[in-house]
Amino acid sequence: MLTILFALGIFVWIVFLLDGLIGLRKIDALEIEQSLENGPLLSVIVAARNEEKQIQPSVLSQLNQTYQNVEWILVNDRSTDDTGLMMEELRLKDRRISVLHIDELPEGWLGKNNALYRGFLGASGNWILFTDADVRFEREAFAKALHYFERNELDHLTASPNLSAKNFWLKSFVAFFLFGFSYFKRPWAANNPKSKIGTGIGAFNLVSRKAYESFGTHEMVKMRPDDDLQLGMRMKRSGYRQRIVTALKLIEVEWYGSLQEAFVGLEKNTFAGLHYRVSMVFFAIFGVFITNVLPFITIFSSNKIVALLSLGIIVLSGIHYIMVIKKMTIFSPAMFLVLPVTALLFIYSIIRASWLTYRRGGIMWRGTLYKLSELQEKDREH
């Protein structure tokens, strides 16, 4: 049985490897793009809830952009700290900034999704950039992104930032997340006009106003905790022109401050990514364990065929891991050496998020509980 399973695993990894090899080569690096000096108004929408430590450094890095025809709509989403005060201080520094304070969450919306949508309603630009409150930008980030957007006649552009991490185990966990995301979601398919597969990243989702309004705005994903990904996926599925690029030297975000913060942060979208189905949870756990943990054990099997197949899976997955990590991060590919450990940590995060969602009767996100029944209903609609 194990021999058949691993033989199938070899075949699957070969398919993944070929797909990734072709797909990753089609993801451009934004750093080599030319800059757009002048153009239409860009509206940058930043939604924040309790981000008093992050909001000012993030926005100040944006105010220094070489592309100057920009307005900012900062949306304070029911913060209980000094986020709103920090936003008002930023508004006084630059006349291009406006601030919107939200005191109540309307029924049928998640907080961030509503904040981004409300920000859009106050925007005037032909281009709309949705970004998070903890993202840092280099001076030419906007200019290069807009030039790329215009040159390729896009409706939606998303950029993969440098995900910074402070310690080894957090880095290895982030690396594994990107590795797993790559073969589960195949983000490079967004660059294939014939594919219906799309993607989106919260640090940088740039859309044209016309396409965003035609698509239906954030109202189409108003109950999705993975709104950034869903926005991109659904826009691509609807036929809009989309690209994903890397921007490792232009955009940076500290994904989480610690491994524990990562576990807490993934509570909101892990179960959502599995469509709130227990069957998908078991399938994900089984798949991660079989492909990323078990071969590192059975390579020591006395059965030579099993040991050889295990080695084949490890080598193939290692090549894929190295390709993804070198393309999508600045981390060392040597972190593959602890892959089975980080795979087990990821399995733990899946179990933890799913269990807590069921126990609470929903997801807890930024201090607000969203009912599981409502989330499941909206998921079934799409």
Side-chain angles (χ1 to χ4, degrees), residues 110 223-226 267-281 354 357-358 362-363 370-380:
L110 300 191
M223 285 294 289
R224 290 295 310 201
D226 52 348
E267 289 174 16
K268 73 179 189 301
N269 50 21
T270 300
F271 202 27
L274 298 171
H275 301 286
Y276 306 106
R277 298 175 187 170
V278 175
S279 59
M280 287 293 292
V281 171
S354 303
T357 301
Y358 262 105
I363 61 170
Y370 302 98
K371 292 182 179 179
L372 179 59
S373 57
E374 295 179 3
L375 296 168
Q376 289 174 321
E377 181 181 353
K378 291 297 180 181
D379 184 73
R380 285 192 294 267

Side-chain angles (χ1 to χ4, degrees), residues 77 104 108 145 218 240 250 268 277 310 351 355 358 373:
D77 178 26
E104 295 183 2
H218 270 79
Y240 294 95
L250 294 172
K268 73 179 189 301
R277 298 175 187 170
S310 300
I351 296 172
W355 165 247
Y358 262 105
S373 57

Side-chain angles (χ1 to χ4, degrees), residues 2 5-6 9 13 176 179-180 183 280-299 310 313-314 317 339-348 350-351:
L2 199 58
L5 188 63
F6 279 6
W13 274 116
F176 182 84
F179 168 61
Y183 64 77
M280 287 293 292
V281 171
F282 281 109
F283 178 77
I285 293 170
F286 177 78
V288 172
F289 183 79
I290 292 296
T291 56
N292 298 297
V293 179
L294 189 59
F296 288 85
I297 300 172
T298 54
I299 193 174
S310 300
I313 290 175
I314 292 171
S317 63
L339 181 76
V341 178
T342 48
L344 288 172
L345 289 172
F346 190 70
I347 288 173
Y348 166 74
I350 294 174
I351 296 172

